[in-house]
Amino acid sequence: EIVLTQSPGTLSLSPGDRATLSCRASQSVSSPYLAWYQQKPGQAPRLLIYGTFSRATGLPDRFSGSGSGTDFTLTISRLEPEDFAVYYCHQYEISPGTFGQGTKVEVK
Amino acid sequence: EVQLVESGGGLVQPGRSLRLSCTASGFRFDYYAMHWVRQAPGKGLEWVSGISWNSDSIGYGDSVKGRFIVSRDNAKNSLYLQMNSLRAEDTALYYCAKSHRGGSDYLRAFDYWGQGTLVTVSS
């Protein structure tokens, strides 16, 4: 299976800061098959990005996805108070689909 | 409005079975692949199983293969997960999730999630 490793484990930032989250795959993942989710405590995950670059319906444009091959990035250009959460990357090119272990974005 | 409502969770002894259900509304259920994703307490997400719109294509995570069986009934807008030979490590919140687009395969991102049903495996 494809192992996804996210870094850092925790990101301590302030509102207004730029957040850069990394997801590295153990083998190459085609761009159409990489997604990002946000999860807040007590809530189900929410799809943010699919196909590496495409924003889910209604997602603010401060969220952007990029990358290729084995290295992918989720960028939040200016953190809003509601963006502090855990973020997961997900590959769905090869079964079994796999998730990264998550990056927690916390208030500094 | 898309809604996914899971049910069937509870406390079960190791080695026993449990069947989860997910009832969908607000979209063409028979057009999309559906999935089960679980999250152990305080842990990350783990894909459990996926099933294509017509049940022709099915996949399982390595940790549940041979023990869990996914199925769906398009006439009832329902997804199921039969969980057999349960282990303590199967303890988790089980989410039902909808694929973000249609097509013949089940390998998709997930654009809608239910609130989950908790399965606790303990003696």
Side-chain angles (χ1 to χ4, degrees), chain B:
Chain B
E1 179 193 3
V2 172
Q3 284 199 319
L4 299 170
V5 179
E6 303 92 340
S7 61
L11 175 63
V12 61
Q13 293 179 328
R16 303 298 289 266
S17 299
L18 205 60
R19 189 192 196 209
L20 306 184
S21 299
C22 169
T23 302
S25 60
F27 66 100
R28 275 286 304 272
F29 182 76
D30 60 357
Y31 187 72
Y32 294 92
M34 297 294 295
H35 302 263
W36 291 99
V37 179
R38 70 185 182 183
Q39 187 168 36
K43 302 298 184 182
L45 302 171
E46 180 186 11
W47 179 76
V48 173
S49 182
I51 182 169
S52 62
W53 69 273
N54 60 359
S55 304
D56 277 357
S57 183
I58 288 176
Y60 297 96
D62 290 345
S63 62
V64 307
K65 200 174 297 183
R67 299 188 298 124
F68 289 11
I69 301 171
V70 66
S71 61
R72 64 189 294 162
D73 185 338
N74 288 344
K76 294 183 178 180
N77 284 359
S78 292
L79 174 73
Y80 306 101
L81 186 67
Q82 177 67 41
M83 303 187 296
N84 302 320
S85 302
L86 282 161
R87 305 167 181 168
E89 53 265 36
D90 295 319
T91 294
L93 186 63
Y94 284 73
Y95 292 104
C96 166
K98 169 187 168 292
S99 289
H100 78 295
R101 63 181 178 92
S104 58
D105 199 358
Y106 63 84
L107 289 166
R108 299 283 185 264
F110 317 132
D111 60 354
Y112 287 94
W113 300 61
Q115 286 305 303
T117 187
L118 182 63
V119 174
T120 303
V121 184
S122 174
S123 54

